[in-house]
Amino acid sequence: MATKTIKISSFPKGYYMSWTVTTQAAFAVTVKLFDETKVYFEKTKQSMDINPPLAQGADFVNGTNLQVKIDIPQSAVIKNIINSYNMVNSDGVVIGYGYTIGIEDQTDEDYNDACILLVAWKRKG
C-alpha cells in the first residue's frame, strides 16, 4: 500500500485557492487536500478515462499546514514530479502561487496517474 503526502508550504492562510485533479490509472487513486482546520476535498477514482476530473473546486485557505495526500493501495510505490512557482505581475510583485504535481504509481514514467493543479492568490478587500 503506497501513500505520499506533499506539503504545500507557499499558500498563505486567507488566500483564495482553486484546484483541478485528473487521474488516468488502472488502480484506484484517492487524493485529499487538507490542513489542520478542514478537508477541502477527498475523492477516489479508478479509470483509464481521464474525463471527468477526479476533483475541481475552490475555497479560502483556512490553516497554515496545507497538504495533499495521495493514496494508491494497489501500488508498491508512488513517485512524483513537482513544479512550484510564483505568479508575478508586470512590476515583479508576487501576487499568487501555484503547484503542478504529477504522480506515477508504476514504472511507465508517464506521471499521469494523477495530475494535481493548485493555484492561490490574495483576495481583494
Side-chain angles (χ1 to χ4, degrees):
M1 178 171 171
T3 299
K4 179 166 286 260
T5 301
I6 299 167
K7 292 184 179 190
I8 309 299
S9 58
S10 63
F11 286 18
K13 183 177 178 178
Y15 271 47
Y16 189 70
M17 71 174 161
S18 65
W19 58 83
T20 299
V21 181
T22 57
T23 61
Q24 189 171 338
F27 296 153
V29 176
T30 299
V31 179
K32 176 181 177 182
L33 179 65
F34 66 100
D35 60 30
E36 74 278 10
T37 68
K38 71 184 283 186
V39 173
Y40 298 92
F41 74 85
E42 183 172 12
K43 302 275 184 165
T44 302
K45 182 179 173 188
Q46 181 175 0
S47 177
M48 292 302 292
D49 189 353
I50 201 165
N51 195 35
L54 175 94
Q56 288 182 305
D59 203 346
F60 291 99
V61 179
N62 286 327
T64 58
N65 188 24
L66 190 64
Q67 299 177 54
V68 174
K69 181 179 178 185
I70 301 100
D71 184 28
I72 308 172
Q74 291 177 286
S75 182
V77 65
I78 296 174
K79 297 184 279 184
N80 62 270
I81 54 173
I82 298 174
N83 178 29
S84 62
Y85 55 92
N86 295 338
M87 295 185 289
V88 180
N89 71 12
S90 59
D91 295 325
V93 176
V94 176
I95 58 169
Y97 306 93
Y99 276 78
T100 302
I101 304 167
I103 299 297
E104 176 57 49
D105 68 1
Q106 288 296 306
T107 59
D108 60 3
E109 300 294 320
D110 57 9
Y111 288 87
N112 70 346
D113 298 306
C115 180
I116 302 158
L117 309 172
L118 304 167
V119 295
W121 57 96
K122 190 174 184 176
R123 80 185 211 189
K124 290 185 178 183

